[in-house]
Amino acid sequence: MPTRRYLDQRLKLHHLRALEAIAAQSSLLKASAVLGISQPALTRTVQELEEIVGQRLFDRLPRGVRPTEAGNLLAGSARRILAELRRLDEALDRLEDPEGGTVAIGTLPVAATGVLPGTLTRLTAGHPGIRVRLEQGRTEDLLPKLAAGEIDLIVGRLYEPAVPDGFPREPLWEEPISILARPGHPVFALEAVTLDALRRWDLILPTVSQRVGQEIETFLDMVALEPSGSMRSSSYGFIREMLLATDLIAVMPRLMMAGDLLRGMLRVVPLPVPAPRRPAGIIMPRDRPLPPAGHAFIECLRAHVAEIGQRGLTDITGAHREAGESDTTEGRERV
């Protein structure tokens, strides 16, 4: 007969937080820094846990640790329990302030610099009591957090899942790979922009995630632009300054610079080349409703995306209109 562990009586919240942190960081040292405790104290907590459950929870590796099967089982439960406690905390906040609340948003890198700033500006103006928690990452890293309830929704590029995962996806806009330059750039003085003409200017490219990087490389091959002599940077601020101050041209997802395009600080270089479709939007949880603050955020996101679409910077999909042909590298208006 299995040993009775009495987990409901013996497990404490600090055990669950330790499990979650170690599983996420794969390192006792990093997890102790995240939790704000010493590594020896965290090691004692792990020893307590292993005594309570009667099994080894982590295998020690030359660099870091790896959860055992039992460790993964407990870490998954710890994430769900802690997420439920956070949602309870937020529900109690809503009782005190019905106009407030919290929304936890997972965001992909392009959306984080593109559509989120304008969306959050609207949210703050219309719902000043709502608090926002942001977590940036890749889709494959954010989906487990969405499943566990650690975040309420994901915003960004809607990559096709390798296998069906049951998460509702709603496309709202397109994020075409485009060529950007400052408004006074000599390229806009040409009677017609040709691929040969574009080769006169050097490129500046973002250092981005693997999938976006591959899409940029595919686009460069398609338009026969040579990336070997290009400048690359992971800093969007640096890329922006170089675009504004020089004759460099950039190749990137267009809405990565949505704010500057809306303000007229940058323009899309027109090309008669169809850009591959890159639908973006929201990924919703499978089995729970959004909090009221989540609905308020989505309302502001739709409004901001609609404004971007009205300015000719992107095609609007989903609830705004039926998905149509893919966008091209030229906006419908010169901006």
Side-chain angles (χ1 to χ4, degrees):
M1 180 179 293
T3 303
R4 182 73 189 275
R5 298 179 177 84
Y6 300 98
L7 298 182
D8 57 333
Q9 300 177 30
R10 300 177 68 189
L11 277 181
K12 309 297 181 185
L13 284 179
H14 76 275
H15 291 138
L16 301 181
R17 294 191 186 98
L19 269 170
E20 181 188 43
I22 298 170
Q25 302 296 326
S26 300
S27 163
L28 288 173
L29 180 61
K30 292 179 181 178
S32 64
V34 168
L35 294 168
I37 62 176
S38 67
Q39 185 174 343
L42 184 58
T43 300
R44 288 193 296 272
T45 298
V46 173
Q47 292 169 347
E48 289 174 12
L49 272 167
E50 291 180 333
E51 181 182 347
I52 290 170
V53 302
Q55 295 191 43
R56 190 176 73 259
L57 300 178
F58 295 96
D59 290 326
R60 275 63 174 177
L61 304 175
R63 290 180 176 273
V65 296
R66 178 178 57 206
T68 63
E69 184 177 359
N72 275 322
L73 182 64
L74 264 71
S77 292
R79 282 192 292 270
R80 290 190 293 273
I81 292 169
L82 292 171
E84 186 63 33
L85 288 173
R86 282 191 289 270
R87 287 198 295 272
L88 174 59
D89 196 5
E90 292 160 3
L92 291 170
D93 285 343
R94 289 196 297 274
L95 290 178
E96 294 180 357
D97 179 11
E99 298 300 319
T102 301
V103 57
I105 302 165
T107 176
L108 276 66
V110 174
T113 60
V115 300
L116 270 191
T119 300
L120 296 180
T121 299
R122 288 175 182 267
L123 185 67
T124 300
H127 306 273
I130 290 179
R131 295 182 295 276
V132 178
R133 287 193 289 110
L134 290 177
E135 181 155 353
Q136 183 172 316
R138 302 175 302 173
T139 304
E140 53 265 39
D141 298 326
L142 294 173
L143 285 176
K145 296 178 182 292
L146 182 62
E150 296 177 63
I151 55 179
D152 295 312
L153 72 159
I154 299 172
V155 179
R157 171 80 160 90
L158 296 179
Y159 292 103
E160 194 70 29
V163 295
D165 55 22
F167 289 105
R169 289 166 167 81
E170 182 181 350
L172 295 178
W173 72 93
E174 295 279 341
E175 290 181 346
I177 302 295
S178 300
I179 298 178
L180 307 181
R182 60 185 176 84
H185 195 286
V187 70
F188 297 114
L190 299 175
E191 290 187 8
V193 177
T194 65
L195 297 179
D196 285 338
L198 282 176
R199 298 187 186 101
R200 303 177 195 171
W201 295 287
D202 292 328
L203 303 176
I204 184 164
L205 304 174
T207 304
V208 289
S209 65
Q210 184 177 4
R211 280 192 284 196
V212 179
Q214 289 173 348
E215 289 176 296
I216 290 175
E217 295 299 323
T218 298
F219 180 87
L220 291 171
D221 288 342
M222 182 177 72
V223 297
L225 290 178
E226 178 54 59
S228 60
S230 62
M231 184 183 302
R232 295 179 185 265
S233 174
S234 60
S235 168
Y236 303 139
F238 177 77
I239 293 174
R240 177 180 185 272
E241 290 302 317
M242 294 302 291
L243 285 175
L244 295 178
T246 72
D247 284 343
L248 290 172
I249 58 177
V251 178
M252 62 174 64
R254 181 183 304 176
L255 296 191
M256 189 176 285
M257 294 291 183
D260 283 309
L261 288 168
L262 286 171
R263 290 186 292 267
M265 302 292 290
L266 293 173
R267 286 177 57 183
V268 179
V269 177
L271 276 180
V273 179
R277 290 193 68 243
R278 299 185 74 253
I282 52 178
I283 306 177
M284 306 287 281
R286 289 179 294 212
D287 52 4
R288 65 180 186 278
L290 278 178
H295 289 291
F297 168 80
I298 291 177
E299 179 184 338
C300 293
L301 175 64
R302 292 184 190 279
H304 184 56
V305 167
E307 179 186 349
I308 293 174
Q310 289 165 4
R311 297 285 296 275
L313 297 181
T314 184
D315 275 349
I316 306 302
T317 61
H320 296 289
R321 70 166 180 82
E322 294 298 322
E325 296 299 318
S326 64
D327 197 4
T328 66
T329 55
E330 180 179 12
R332 292 190 297 277
E333 298 176 5
R334 289 280 185 108
V335 293

